[in-house]
Amino acid sequence: GAGVSQSPSNKVTEKGKDVELRCDPISGHTALYWYRQSLGQGLEFLIYFQGNSAPDKSGLPSDRFSAERTGGSVSTLTIQRTQQEDSAVYLCASNPPGDYSGNTIYFGEGSWLTVV
Amino acid sequence: GDSVTQMEGPVTLSEEAFLTINCTYTATGYPSLFWYVQYPGEGLQLLLKATKADDKGSNKGFEATYRKETTSFHLEKGSVQVSDSAVYFCALGTSGTYKYIFGTGTRLKVLA
């Protein structure tokens, strides 16, 4: 597709259940990012992929969070045993190879997660 | 570490008013600076960017100048419209790293 695609766009889940959020980046973009946007907060960096490897996972809030990327393309963010504080919009972004500092980072529309 | 600080909102203006949203940064190295905009119900999209000192980014009537001496990248528009109502995020990216650091966002509401 033309842009970064995320699914589901909205997810309501019960506390304690596991959820998977999917991101399909722009074709050819080697870098992929996950951010979290909580109500009234800025963007919190979660994890970065370069190809299929994740050089930096330091933003993942706890060991209940994990992410993988396969084929240098689609990425899945998994949250196990969800808690109410996990409720947020999870944003995926990608950018092409090259000098990252000046590259535009392209965002998907996000997956809105509500834990009840 | 690198950081971005932007003015808190919400900012409420009448149509055709002048807009300034302040953004300052701290960074090692030579960052690129960005403004992203998030319209209601949509994802973030690039509004403008500047990759070196004294560059001016501009788009849709918005402007921001990369001021190294004051470590600032303030967003301005001479005459806002109702359609500019959105959340605006200032961000930086540093050469040689992969991280983009975002501010907390400033909500703008423009009244007709």
Side-chain angles (χ1 to χ4, degrees), chain A:
Chain A
V4 178
S5 178
Q6 293 188 245
S7 62
S9 55
N10 285 285
K11 175 73 175 179
V12 179
T13 190
E14 292 181 350
K15 178 180 174 181
K17 294 287 180 71
D18 297 352
V19 296
E20 286 189 351
L21 307 176
R22 175 190 167 103
C23 173
D24 197 347
I26 294 172
S27 177
H29 282 195
T30 54
L32 185 147
Y33 306 77
W34 284 98
Y35 287 85
R36 181 167 70 174
Q37 184 180 20
S38 301
L39 188 63
Q41 303 295 316
L43 270 67
E44 176 187 7
F45 169 81
L46 297 180
I47 188 170
Y48 154 77
F49 286 92
Q50 177 60 37
N52 290 336
S53 64
D56 188 348
K57 307 177 184 179
S58 63
L60 295 177
S62 73
D63 59 8
R64 296 187 295 104
F65 288 72
S66 62
E68 64 174 12
R69 188 180 186 193
T70 56
S73 181
V74 172
S75 176
T76 302
L77 177 69
T78 301
I79 308 172
Q80 296 178 311
R81 305 181 303 281
T82 52
Q83 303 295 312
Q84 288 186 329
E85 61 262 29
D86 299 335
S87 297
V89 179
Y90 290 83
L91 294 168
C92 178
S94 68
N95 68 0
D99 178 2
Y100 298 115
S101 70
N103 277 350
T104 298
I105 182 172
Y106 296 86
F107 283 87
E109 293 191 359
S111 292
W112 190 291
L113 175 65
T114 303
V115 182
V116 296

Side-chain angles (χ1 to χ4, degrees), chain B residues 6 17 19-20 22-23 44 47 59 64-65 70 73 78 82 87:
Chain B
Q6 60 182 106
L19 169 71
T20 300
N22 290 338
C23 172
L44 277 77
L47 180 60
N59 186 26
T65 301
T70 55
F73 193 54
V82 172
V87 181

Side-chain angles (χ1 to χ4, degrees), chain B residues 7 17 27 38 41 55 77 80 85 90 92 106-107:
Chain B
M7 64 187 288
Q38 186 177 34
D55 271 2
K77 187 175 185 181
V80 293
S85 298
C90 186
L92 69 82
T106 302
R107 182 175 299 278

